[in-house]
Amino acid sequence: MPESVWVAQSDPRVRPLLADLAREYSTRYHRVLADVHFELREYPAEHFAPPNGGLLVLLHDQRAVAGGAFQRYDDDTAELKRIWTHRAHRGHGLGRRVVAELEAEIALRGYRRIHLTTGPSQPEARALYLAAGYTPHFDVDAVPVTRLRFSKALPAPVGSR
């Protein structure tokens, strides 16, 4: 079973995640790879660092096989970003595990909601978020042509009123 590790974006173990995401987005959206690499660096690394964010990787034999991040969206809401599973490790529940671990950390940080968007050419991501209980803010029966927005309310912390 892969080990969960919270890391900084500068950690060398994050490089495979960002490189594979860039390749994936470039292929699926017919974009220039260099432009996608630039977009993945659009947010400063500190957006994905405590106290407002975090970056998680799952390691198997010290290699990143899945991961994801979150950043502050507003005072009560975190935004999921960069959810990824290496293609050789897909279909084993690692994406669900990443989302669940991110959700748990987000709740510990005091956020009450989660926001995310994914692209129309990522049916696996769409299915993951629907299965994980995210509310779609689009017509799920329509052919998607634009960003797919989701949200999810987090349960109140134990002992709160």
Side-chain angles (χ1 to χ4, degrees):
M1 169 163 293
E3 170 190 12
S4 300
V5 181
W6 291 93
V7 296
Q9 186 168 295
S10 60
D11 189 299
R13 296 172 291 184
V14 176
R15 285 187 204 127
L17 182 154
L18 295 176
D20 200 40
L21 274 177
R23 279 190 298 276
E24 188 91 17
Y25 294 165
S26 175
T27 301
R28 288 186 187 223
Y29 296 103
H30 310 289
R31 307 276 305 284
V32 175
L33 191 58
D35 291 344
V36 176
H37 274 290
F38 178 78
E39 286 175 17
L40 286 172
R41 289 176 174 74
E42 171 184 2
Y43 301 101
E46 59 266 15
H47 281 217
F48 304 114
N52 296 321
L55 198 155
L56 173 74
V57 293
L58 301 185
L59 302 174
H60 178 73
D61 293 333
Q62 294 304 306
R63 293 183 187 266
V65 295
F70 71 93
Q71 66 179 359
R72 182 180 183 276
Y73 186 74
D74 65 30
D75 288 344
D76 297 317
T77 310
E79 180 179 20
L80 291 187
K81 303 293 285 182
R82 301 180 176 142
I83 307 302
W84 165 81
T85 302
H86 187 281
R87 65 185 141 281
H89 296 271
R90 291 179 184 165
H92 301 287
L94 296 181
R96 284 185 190 211
R97 180 174 161 196
V98 166
V99 169
E101 290 190 31
L102 290 170
E103 287 176 357
E105 184 65 22
I106 287 166
L108 285 173
R109 302 274 183 94
Y111 292 107
R112 305 302 335 128
R113 298 186 57 74
I114 298 174
H115 162 83
L116 68 93
T117 60
T118 191
S121 294
Q122 295 171 259
E124 306 90 345
R126 175 185 169 173
L128 170 65
Y129 301 128
L130 288 171
Y134 283 77
T135 301
H137 298 280
F138 58 91
D139 182 351
V140 295
D141 296 320
V143 175
V145 294
T146 187
R147 290 246 183 241
L148 307 178
R149 299 186 188 287
F150 291 87
S151 65
K152 185 175 187 179
L154 295 172
V158 176
S160 70
R161 296 189 180 160

